[in-house]
Amino acid sequence: MTEQNFIPKPYTNSIQQGRYTWSSPSNIALVKYWGKKKDQIPENPSISFTLNNCKTTTTLSFSKKTDKEAFSFEVYLDGEKKESFKSKIETFFNRVEVYLPFLKAYHFKIETSNTFPHSSGIASSASGMSALALCLMSVEKALLGGSVIPSVVEESQAETYFIQKASFLARLGSGSACRSLEGDLVVWGKSEAIEGSSDLFGVKFPHQVHEVFKNYQDTILLVDKGEKVVSSTVGHNLMHGHPFAQERFKQADKNLKTITEILKSGDLDAFIALVESEALTLHAMMMTSMPYFILMKPNTLEIINKIWAFRKETGSKVCFTLDAGANVHVLYPENETNLVLNFIKDELVAFCQKGQYIVDKIGFGAQELSIYK
Ligand code: PMV
């Protein structure tokens, strides 16, 4: 697939107005994406667990307008108008207009809400951008009379194409958003190890996965809910000319191959070593860029040390990963749920802001909520 395949054929239906609602989850990368080329093309492939409970629900209402000169839209978060979201969406619309040529023909009302607390430090860009991309795909599907597939794609691939294009669009909104549409494991970025993988969109991990990774748990410890000191856009850009960048990209590529084997064999010790190393490498890249910055907080390190001590003491297979922030994702197999939740309550909650954490697990991707239609 190339970018050209995502330019639609001429629209056949004329639609005055409508409304679609999609709910889409967040995701947590195991092998991290950090560093990008033009148009949100990743410097290295990444793989993530799709989450289940942390999600965004977006309703897109649209009505035809008379002119087609500019984008026209309003954005609401939890019922409140959000002027501050507009520039991000304007940028997104500009990037995707060539693939969604109806964008200037309608006025859009975007109503969005998150299941996780506002400004919890959990990025809503992955769930938010993927939910919006899916709503836009529903509009396009209606304009095309129910089928979005171009002539080069076979009819049997219609559903895959719909998701691929939504993922392609979501990527242009926020890179990691392209991994949120499906579950439970999604790869984004071309890799020899993954058939069908692409820099343009996320694909479902196509290989066999060991039982132990089914229903894997992720409890997110909210260490710091403040605004990030450095945005991920700035962080990605600091990988240009970074002294260790090329080695990092090679390492991520290799780690994706290794994790493919680990996911098959169920080797949890190897999983822990790879996932924790990826998290610390991501933050090491931040600390060694120029300008340098640190997103971890003292409590992030306290939690990491507690997890290591607990593992040593009990033989538990609990481990951590980090996003571009101070919060800690605590990952563990389903059969350790009671053990780890008790450990979190007894020893880790003290390091969370206001004692807050979110119990989540891996999930299966976005859903259209037709009840709202
Ligand atoms: O999608 P962005 O541009 O916000 O980048 C996010 C990158 C990380 O969350 C740090 C890692 C990843 O692969 O999700």
Side-chain angles (χ1 to χ4, degrees), residues 43-254:
E43 289 276 13
N44 63 260
S46 55
I47 183 168
S48 51
F49 273 148
T50 305
L51 295 183
N52 191 60
N53 302 337
C54 289
K55 51 191 180 192
T56 298
T57 298
T58 297
T59 296
L60 180 75
S61 312
F62 58 102
S63 51
K64 202 147 199 173
K65 57 186 180 75
T66 42
D67 71 284
K68 288 187 186 165
E69 267 138 47
F71 301 124
S72 169
F73 62 92
E74 48 196 323
V75 198
Y76 294 82
L77 174 67
D78 297 327
E80 256 179 57
K81 206 163 192 170
K82 272 295 207 199
E83 292 299 330
S84 57
F85 286 10
K86 285 195 91 169
S87 73
K88 193 157 188 189
I89 292 177
E90 180 94 24
T91 306
F92 173 60
F93 277 7
N94 271 309
R95 285 187 192 150
V96 298
E97 192 193 0
V98 56
Y99 308 106
L100 297 172
F102 63 83
L103 282 181
K104 282 188 178 146
Y106 291 95
H107 173 76
F108 296 98
K109 184 175 181 192
I110 304 164
E111 292 169 281
T112 183
S113 62
N114 300 322
T115 54
F116 42 92
H118 183 49
S119 63
S120 57
I122 298 186
S124 56
S125 57
S127 51
M129 280 297 170
S130 51
L132 180 58
L134 283 158
C135 290
L136 291 167
M137 282 306 293
S138 289
V139 179
E140 177 157 286
K141 192 171 171 184
L143 290 170
L144 284 167
S147 170
V148 289
I149 53 169
S151 48
V152 288
V153 176
E154 282 174 35
E155 191 65 49
S156 62
Q157 294 298 306
E159 225 168 279
T160 309
Y161 179 84
F162 182 94
I163 293 293
Q164 271 177 2
K165 182 165 173 182
S167 172
F168 170 85
L169 298 171
R171 183 198 100 238
L172 291 165
S174 169
S176 59
C178 77
R179 295 188 312 237
S180 270
L181 291 93
E182 294 176 285
D184 43 359
L185 282 154
V186 176
V187 175
W188 167 41
K190 188 90 198 118
S191 161
E192 275 168 27
I194 310 291
E195 216 188 282
S197 59
S198 169
D199 284 345
L200 300 179
F201 47 82
V203 296
K204 247 169 108 145
F205 181 70
H207 298 291
Q208 195 192 326
V209 176
H210 192 278
E211 275 299 308
V212 77
F213 293 112
K214 298 274 152 74
N215 228 5
Y216 224 71
Q217 306 289 303
D218 179 4
T219 295
I220 308 160
L221 307 182
L222 304 179
V223 172
D224 186 64
K225 309 197 291 171
E227 278 285 303
K228 270 193 260 174
V229 283
V230 177
S231 74
S232 64
T233 310
V234 172
H236 284 291
N237 282 335
L238 290 174
M239 289 300 276
H240 295 298
H242 188 295
F244 310 135
Q246 293 313 315
E247 282 308 311
R248 161 61 195 153
F249 302 145
K250 271 192 238 160
Q251 178 201 41
D253 201 54
K254 190 162 154 259

Side-chain angles (χ1 to χ4, degrees), residues 250-263:
K250 271 192 238 160
Q251 178 201 41
D253 201 54
K254 190 162 154 259
N255 278 349
L256 186 67
K257 291 184 180 128
T258 309
I259 205 169
T260 299
E261 292 307 315
I262 294 171
L263 290 169

Side-chain angles (χ1 to χ4, degrees), residues 27-29 31-34 36 40 46 125 174-177 179 228 232-233 236 282 286 322-324:
N27 68 76
I28 180 68
V31 173
K32 311 284 180 184
Y33 147 64
W34 198 244
K36 62 181 167 186
Q40 316 261 86
S46 55
S125 57
S174 169
S176 59
R179 295 188 312 237
K228 270 193 260 174
S232 64
T233 310
H236 284 291
L282 169 72
M286 298 170 184
L322 307 167
D323 243 337

